[in-house]
Amino acid sequence: MKVIAIAALLLSISAVTANTGTVIPPYHSQDNFLLTSPGGMGFGLYGYANPALLKYVERPDILFTWSDASGEWNDFDRWGLFVGLPTPNMGFGMIRNKGAMGTVTDYKLSLAFGDRGSSFGVGYGWSGGSIGEYNRARVLTVGSLTRPMPQLSVGMTGAFATSGSAKEGVFDLAVRPLGNEVVAVFGDYAIQNGEKPEDGHWSTGVALEILPGVRLTGRYFDTHGFSAGLNFSLGDMGLVSQAHFDDEREHGYNTYGVRLGAMDRNVFTRLMHRRARYIDLQLTGLTKYQRYRIFDESNTLTGLLSAIDGAKEDETVAGIAINTSGMRFSSIEMAWEIREKLKEFKSAGKHVVMFIDDAGLYKYHFASVADKIVMDPTGDITLPGMRLGRTYLKGTLEKLGIGFDELRFFKYKSAYEGFARESMSEGDQEQIFAILEDFYGLMRTEITEERGISPEEFDRMVNEDLFFMPEEALEAGLVDTLGRWEAVKKTIEKIEGEPKGMMRPGGIAKYRMPRDDYWGKRPQVALIYALGVCAMDQGIKARTLSKVIEGVSGNDNIKAVVFRVDSPGGSGTASDVVAEALKKCAEKKPVIVSQGMVAGSGGYWISMYGDTIVASPLTITGSIGVIGGWFYNKGLKEKLGMATDVAKIGDHADLGFGVSLPLLGQVPDRNFTDDERSKVEHSIKAFYKHFVEKVAKGRDMEYDEIHEIGQGRVWSGSDGVGNGLVDELGGLETAIKIAKAKAGIAADEKVDIIQIPQAPLFDPNMFMPRLFGVKYEKNELIEHLKFRMEHNGQPMPLMPLEELDYLSDYMETGS
């Protein structure tokens, strides 16, 4: 609609009566500063020619250009200064002219809105100096830029004097036959009011980027003159020169330019600084899925994966130096994904050096991927093996006067076991031990392969040595050097044979280079997070999440969906609401499920309709089963001196009625009767049958096949591939690659990852008051109990919630 409106405006300009009084500097009077039409290359004088182009400016940049019309290169009778700012897509420009009638300077301030596919801009211009002699007026400029595909750019601008009738319209067209920056064919046409269409002025030409940052241009004008230009990038500065010829092919004059600010493609960086630097990667603090948009410096999974990938592709980077002191990951699975990415980085012939101070098995497994490990001389390594235990609260509930009835009818479904028993059931012990065997086996294999230790020797270290002081760790071959972070640089020098500079991830080329090599929007892949318990208004927030998925389903710009699940399940209703939304979405575009640390029970329910399910070897998946639990008063009310009474209609109306307590909510007065319990049992078994049927349909398997691996049994991601619950082993990047392939996007084509839902603006807990200097934090045990009380007696596709927290805390403490 914007394009149509501006096109109509341009067509109407020629019909306006001839201009009287003030004038607008003609568009083609800027030709000696523009190498191409505005959309043909670069940013069109940073909005001076077309303000809509400012949407492509991503870093501050400044260009100074001048003409030697008098014959001397340092003639500054005509010069221009142009500035582009990415926030808020603003540009400022000025052109100064000195002539026989005096000196006049034209200024313009511009803003752009929209996106890279379709943008709109406005500019306001004014003049200073000999305004009257040059008949200058204030000018309002509106412009649009449409790039519906990488091969096509269409720009339109209209300029209007705020006093008088002066108007001008410009049409700008550019084509990239190869869809990239290598070659562009361009043309433009400008007409002022009072001119006939055939009297408008035009130009056409070609721009070539023969080497990165080395650009040649040629431009032919309707006056039969032409120009030849060179734009030569030196990185964060550039040089511009253009020779102008008249209709007799006689050289008239040159223009020159110097650009400073934003990094640009160039041939020098890769030649002069090839593998000259290491990335200084500080992992102190928590690495999580998303960080708050302000007041949060945390690392994120996608951020680290992107940085390592960028470092791999950056020819100036020789390696990565990683500081793990204070490192925390949201889960061991997330650490595994980063570790796998570092292995890929090393496959490019680059090196990884890791610094550790204190490390347990999980942190040491992460560090073992490094070519060299530097250990703090006062640190330690503890290799205790691996464990996964539970806290049992049966006796605690009895002492409190709370009764509990475990509604369990499947061998492995242990979500409420901690409230009903004092030790592991046979089924729970079996499945947990199998998980531990898989996890420990993976870590032992990867550690011993990297460190050149035999599996038998590693087992001996775990079972006999346990604890390693720095000198002992060095002697055992667990580390390579002792020293503080400063010793990392010396280790790098030994590896590389020469000192290397250090830079932070922000200096990686992919974060600094302009994106003008691609016109329009890149294909988009939505990364949708489902994190926490399956509930309607907490955890995954199914009520909101299902609407988000529906929106993505109808968004044609999004070509595929990666659905990241890290959930132990919860409410069956919440799980099914999300699963059905995903099922409908999968009918329109590829939906790839990426399972994180835990994707079991309801977490598997929301996964089952994915076109492909990807899990890591450290994922806990499956747990296809249903369970319930019933908390009720067994003396607590009386101990607290409370009493209840109820009037009812219906034999079971009092079921669930009881005292309301802080934190816990309502505690029912009584347990189920035998009749009520049998009805609950029927409900849970029916719910299980329904669950199994859905999984069988989603996975294209038979009911009996799912039942055989169901009954609440949890599986590692590796086992999931074997039994059909998982399609491929991998992490988030694997899922994105599959999503691209299924959407018909080439493997080497870049895509924009749209993370949904958007991270909150800030952490409200940062404003929580402190009591006696201690900041309040939620108690996970209380939170888990509250969640179960809220769903008291309901059939739940749920895993033990404490298992998810334990596997997260285990990594955070470095154990």
Side-chain angles (χ1 to χ4, degrees), residues 151-191:
Q151 295 82 9
L152 180 64
S153 174
V154 180
M156 296 183 184
T157 57
F160 311 87
T162 59
S163 60
S165 59
K167 298 178 180 66
E168 183 180 46
V170 179
F171 178 79
D172 164 27
L173 177 70
V175 176
R176 284 179 167 177
L178 304 179
N180 57 31
E181 75 281 10
V182 174
V183 57
V185 179
F186 61 86
D188 53 19
Y189 172 81
I191 184 171

Side-chain angles (χ1 to χ4, degrees), residues 692-708:
V692 173
E693 288 173 343
K694 279 181 169 285
V695 174
K697 184 176 181 179
R699 298 299 297 161
D700 193 24
M701 296 171 68
E702 297 296 326
Y703 180 95
D704 290 342
E705 291 180 285
I706 300 299
H707 176 64
E708 181 68 23

Side-chain angles (χ1 to χ4, degrees), residues 336-354:
W336 177 85
E337 291 198 45
I338 301 300
R339 190 183 190 279
E340 286 294 294
K341 191 65 182 177
L342 289 171
K343 286 170 63 177
E344 180 186 314
F345 174 82
K346 290 171 58 180
S347 71
K350 301 186 178 187
H351 299 112
V352 175
V353 178
M354 198 90 67

Side-chain angles (χ1 to χ4, degrees), residues 524-525 559-562 586 588-593 609-614 699 727-728 734-747 751:
Q524 295 179 346
V525 173
K559 307 304 180 185
V561 173
V562 172
K588 296 183 177 181
K589 59 191 64 177
V591 174
I592 311 302
V593 173
Y609 291 134
D611 296 302
T612 303
I613 297 179
V614 179
R699 298 299 297 161
D727 296 298
E728 291 197 29
T734 303
I736 292 172
K737 289 176 182 177
I738 294 171
K740 288 173 60 177
K742 286 187 175 290
I745 301 171
V751 297

Side-chain angles (χ1 to χ4, degrees), residues 412-589:
Y412 301 103
K413 200 64 182 170
S414 58
Y416 281 92
E417 192 169 284
F419 301 99
R421 297 176 58 90
E422 295 177 340
S423 61
M424 287 185 191
S425 65
E426 179 184 344
D428 201 30
Q429 191 169 50
E430 177 187 341
Q431 63 183 349
I432 287 177
F433 188 74
I435 291 287
L436 290 176
E437 279 192 317
D438 278 3
F439 286 12
Y440 179 79
L442 172 75
M443 293 189 180
R444 177 178 60 186
T445 297
E446 294 189 334
I447 290 172
T448 55
E449 286 178 352
E450 293 287 353
R451 299 303 302 176
I453 302 170
S454 71
E456 294 76 18
E457 174 61 13
F458 184 79
D459 285 340
R460 190 201 63 76
M461 290 180 179
V462 169
N463 294 320
E464 298 180 15
D465 294 333
L466 174 62
F467 190 83
F468 295 84
M469 295 299 289
E471 292 291 346
E472 295 169 336
L474 184 62
E475 185 178 350
L478 295 175
V479 300
D480 301 288
T481 306
L482 301 182
R484 295 262 156 85
W485 176 247
E486 295 78 11
V488 169
K489 291 184 180 180
K490 295 181 180 179
T491 302
I492 291 172
E493 186 174 348
K494 289 180 181 179
I495 294 174
E496 303 293 346
E498 60 181 353
K500 297 292 182 181
M502 302 285 280
M503 71 175 181
R504 299 305 300 272
I508 294 172
K510 71 182 287 184
Y511 299 135
R512 301 182 65 199
M513 291 300 173
R515 293 202 295 163
D516 63 332
D517 58 333
Y518 190 96
W519 283 349
K521 290 183 179 180
R522 294 189 184 277
Q524 295 179 346
V525 173
L527 172 54
I528 304 177
Y529 293 106
L531 311 177
V533 294
C534 292
M536 294 301 291
D537 300 302
Q538 65 186 96
I540 68 170
K541 298 181 180 177
R543 197 185 312 277
T544 302
L545 185 58
S546 61
K547 290 183 172 61
V548 166
I549 295 169
E550 289 173 9
V552 168
S553 177
N555 188 335
D556 292 336
N557 292 324
I558 295 175
K559 307 304 180 185
V561 173
V562 172
F563 188 60
R564 178 69 174 202
V565 179
D566 223 325
S567 171
S571 162
T573 300
S575 302
D576 198 53
V577 165
V578 172
E580 288 298 318
L582 272 178
K583 184 179 179 182
K584 292 177 181 178
C585 184
E587 294 171 356
K588 296 183 177 181
K589 59 191 64 177

